[in-house]
Amino acid sequence: MFRRMMTFAVICGLVFGGSTGSASAVVEWELKDDPVSLGMSGVSPHVEKVAGGDRVWRSDGSAGTVVSLCTDSGTCTTETLTGSSDPINDFTVIQTPSGLRAFFVRVDPRINSKGVYSAPCLTADCLSIGAPTLTSTGAQVALDQKAWGVPDPVRLPDGRIRLYLVESPVPGKCTEKIASYISSDGISFTKESGWRLEGGYVDTEMLRAKDGEWLMILADIGCTSSRNQKLFVSTSTDGLTWSQPSELTGAGTSKLDPTGYEVSPNVFRIYYSEAGTNNNFTIKRATLRIKSTPAGSVGVTNTPKATTPTSKSKTITCVKGKTVRKVTGTTCPKGFTKR
């Protein structure tokens, strides 16, 4: 949970040779706020698409996790979560080989620690959970450790569960790193070697996890020149090595803790937290789209592949009005100027 940005519509573009069938195609990511007022506060939302709409768990106040069921029109009704005697935060749900389970950060003042735990969902809607189990001894830290946690479990194509979380191996500004743990049953996890991302990136949410085609939305801890938290996207071919994240949002109020799901090919519904006054946070809803211009087809069927920059693939920023594109190359598209 990371508390650290105006309605927006920012487009970030990258050139991905071969990912859309044309070396000159520009893949663009567009994130735009939906015209709804959800009436929900808090941070670290997690959404699941259900028959009645979108069920949104989130951390809000001393009680820890609260839940609401939201319609497409943005009307949200409070629901009740039961089963935890201790406050829990950063709640998320996934189907594991051992059944539907909730993952969360649980504070245990009895041993002065907090850790990433999972618990079986006792109901199909996961509004009641069973006894918690620590995912790994490596996923437990002292209560006073900052900027840590926010578990993001992902079911791999082979059925195993990979758990992404934020770790802070050393103190300092923007030193947070994304680690991953692996499990065959979704209960006991082993840490994978290396880091998935470094440099202050946090709050990962996997939007697509297919063989050779991974997409995540995430935030940072305020590491750009504007010093506000922003939302980013990153791609991967295996879920382990990730491309340099691309900014989705600009200067202004901080945006963090994204969650979401794919509603149609290359269109995703996103919920996130937006910072307000007096350290208050509001849950917002937006739509993320992937599209390809201008070479050939409009729209892409696959996630743009992660690329490794070389000395011949310099990235520049191109601007046209409020539209921003990050382009690999030395020349901006027609109508854009280099910033």
Side-chain angles (χ1 to χ4, degrees):
M1 183 167 51
F2 295 88
R3 300 177 175 89
R4 301 309 180 233
M5 315 168 312
M6 346 188 198
T7 298
F8 58 90
V10 179
I11 298 176
C12 298
L14 296 171
V15 171
F16 291 90
S19 64
T20 60
S22 172
S24 59
V26 176
V27 175
E28 296 178 313
W29 313 87
E30 179 187 66
L31 182 69
K32 186 175 182 179
D33 270 344
D34 293 342
V36 296
S37 180
L38 303 174
M40 294 191 296
S41 58
V43 294
S44 294
H46 171 72
V47 62
E48 289 287 327
K49 179 64 177 175
V50 298
D54 292 339
R55 179 163 286 118
V56 183
W57 293 261
R58 63 198 185 279
S59 300
D60 189 10
S62 59
T65 297
V66 296
V67 195
S68 295
L69 184 63
C70 300
T71 65
D72 282 345
S73 63
T75 300
C76 299
T77 304
T78 301
E79 297 184 307
T80 301
L81 175 66
T82 63
S84 177
S85 58
D86 297 312
I88 57 176
N89 293 288
D90 305 335
F91 194 98
T92 184
V93 179
I94 192 171
Q95 185 69 42
T96 75
S98 58
L100 188 66
R101 297 186 71 85
F103 288 76
F104 45 84
V105 172
R106 173 175 173 260
V107 171
D108 190 342
R110 295 173 289 272
I111 56 175
N112 193 39
S113 74
K114 56 186 177 182
V116 175
Y117 289 76
S118 74
C121 297
L122 302 182
T123 55
D125 53 17
C126 207
L127 292 178
S128 178
I129 60 173
T133 301
L134 183 66
T135 56
S136 170
T137 55
Q140 189 174 42
V141 296
L143 279 178
D144 59 359
Q145 184 161 334
K146 306 296 183 182
W148 177 90
V150 197
D152 177 26
V154 180
R155 188 179 181 91
L156 305 186
D158 64 10
R160 293 179 301 161
I161 303 298
R162 176 172 288 142
L163 180 65
Y164 297 85
L165 59 90
V166 179
E167 295 188 355
S168 302
V170 295
K173 177 66 174 176
C174 297
T175 58
E176 293 82 6
K177 303 175 187 287
I178 302 298
S180 66
Y181 292 70
I182 197 74
S183 172
S184 59
D185 60 7
I187 299 175
S188 299
F189 287 79
T190 301
K191 190 172 185 178
E192 297 180 292
S193 63
W195 302 103
R196 308 290 72 83
L197 285 168
E198 302 182 56
Y201 293 105
V202 297
D203 308 341
T204 66
E205 169 79 359
M206 217 58 56
L207 296 176
R208 186 181 286 168
K210 300 179 181 179
D211 279 329
E213 191 179 335
W214 292 65
L215 170 66
M216 74 159 69
I217 186 170
L218 65 162
D220 74 342
I221 208 70
C223 301
T224 60
S225 59
S226 59
R227 297 306 181 198
N228 65 316
Q229 282 191 272
K230 295 183 173 73
L231 301 181
F232 296 76
V233 287
S234 180
T235 61
S236 174
T237 59
D238 59 6
L240 295 173
T241 301
W242 290 85
S243 65
Q244 178 64 32
S246 301
E247 290 182 25
L248 283 174
T249 56
T253 55
S254 284
K255 293 175 169 60
L256 55 151
D257 293 341
T259 181
Y261 61 88
E262 194 163 8
V263 296
S264 61
N266 297 319
V267 179
F268 305 84
R269 174 166 287 180
I270 304 297
Y271 290 81
Y272 68 91
S273 296
E274 182 177 62
T277 58
N278 300 319
N279 205 34
N280 293 319
F281 292 82
T282 302
I283 305 299
K284 307 294 287 290
R285 198 182 85 187
T287 299
L288 173 67
R289 289 182 171 86
I290 310 173
K291 59 183 181 178
S292 177
T293 59
S297 61
V298 177
V300 295
T301 57
N302 297 315
T303 305
K305 299 295 188 294
T307 57
T308 302
T310 68
S311 59
K312 296 182 180 180
S313 59
K314 178 181 178 181
T315 298
I316 60 174
T317 301
C318 302
V319 180
K320 180 181 180 182
K322 294 183 178 180
T323 300
V324 179
R325 292 184 184 175
K326 292 187 180 298
V327 176
T328 302
T330 59
T331 304
C332 288
K334 184 177 179 180
F336 285 74
T337 57
K338 185 176 179 180
R339 184 169 69 182

